[in-house]
Amino acid sequence: MAHPFPSFDRTLKPNATPRKGLRTALALFAGLAIAPAAQGKQVVHYETSAEAGTVVIDAARRRLFFVLGDGRAIAYPVGVPRHGAEWSGETSVSGKYVRPDWEPPSSVKVEEPALPDLVRGGAPNNPMGARAITLYRSEIAIHGSTQRMRASIGGAVSHGCIRMYNEDVIDLFNRVHVGTPVLMLP
């Protein structure tokens, strides 16, 4: 079976949307509401014995913590594995991919046979989203989401992966490296 992640990185095309400040000003002028940034990552008080730079996934709290040290961490809301796909323990980052292609694992294809055999990176239906951070666990990654999947962040929804908002997985992607320790708490 082919590995679900390519062995190469893709580069992102420059973002064609207006800068955040301009977008905010235009939205305020138009009387539109802007979603609060608190929806995504937050720096929080977090006591742990894990070293700074460790990723701790707390499945029960549906949060991923990037440990900063000194009792602080960046907390991100995540979607976690659903009942029957849970896992826990220690692992580490095995790879980092920008807008990767996705090949549904055989277990996913059994449940959803209509899925294509390959979804190209950047496609609107690619569940890997903007980034994928693979782990030294069979077919498991911390990854972004499609527009449709965003509503599932905070739920127990995946086949084993950790699902994040695209803007949050990009932030985490820039903080971790191959070998970064990852701890999954039940």
Side-chain angles (χ1 to χ4, degrees):
M1 181 175 104
H3 195 276
F5 307 103
S7 59
F8 60 90
D9 287 343
R10 289 206 171 154
T11 56
L12 289 172
K13 294 178 184 172
N15 188 348
T17 59
R19 291 186 315 258
K20 183 178 179 183
L22 178 59
R23 226 179 20 241
T24 302
L26 289 172
L28 290 172
F29 178 77
L32 301 174
I34 300 292
Q39 205 173 15
K41 70 175 184 170
Q42 299 176 2
V43 175
V44 299
H45 178 77
Y46 187 70
E47 291 297 330
T48 181
S49 60
E51 293 183 22
T54 300
V55 172
V56 179
I57 305 158
D58 188 330
R61 292 171 63 188
R62 311 264 166 63
R63 292 282 181 269
L64 181 150
F65 297 93
F66 181 76
V67 178
L68 298 173
D70 297 325
R72 298 179 317 121
I74 300 172
Y76 305 88
V78 294
V80 298
R82 65 186 184 184
H83 180 69
E86 306 98 330
W87 59 276
S88 62
E90 297 178 20
T91 187
S92 61
V93 172
S94 64
K96 296 171 58 176
Y97 303 92
V98 175
R99 295 176 67 180
D101 292 343
W102 180 64
E103 294 179 27
S106 56
S107 60
V108 175
K109 283 289 278 186
V110 167
E111 289 184 32
E112 301 178 46
L115 283 173
D117 292 333
L118 176 71
V119 179
R120 291 285 177 202
N125 63 332
N126 185 319
M128 295 290 104
R131 303 287 187 277
I133 302 165
T134 57
L135 304 179
Y136 281 108
R137 289 192 62 89
S138 179
E139 300 178 335
I140 300 293
I142 300 167
H143 62 79
S145 59
T146 65
Q147 189 62 32
R148 185 178 62 91
M149 293 164 58
R150 285 180 70 87
S152 69
I153 306 294
V157 293
S158 78
H159 289 269
C161 289
I162 306 304
R163 188 177 300 166
M164 300 179 76
Y165 295 124
N166 282 326
E167 57 272 25
D168 287 347
V169 78
I170 290 169
D171 184 77
L172 181 64
F173 183 95
N174 293 330
R175 295 176 188 279
V176 301
H177 56 84
V178 172
T180 292
V182 177
L183 175 61
M184 176 70 143
L185 305 174

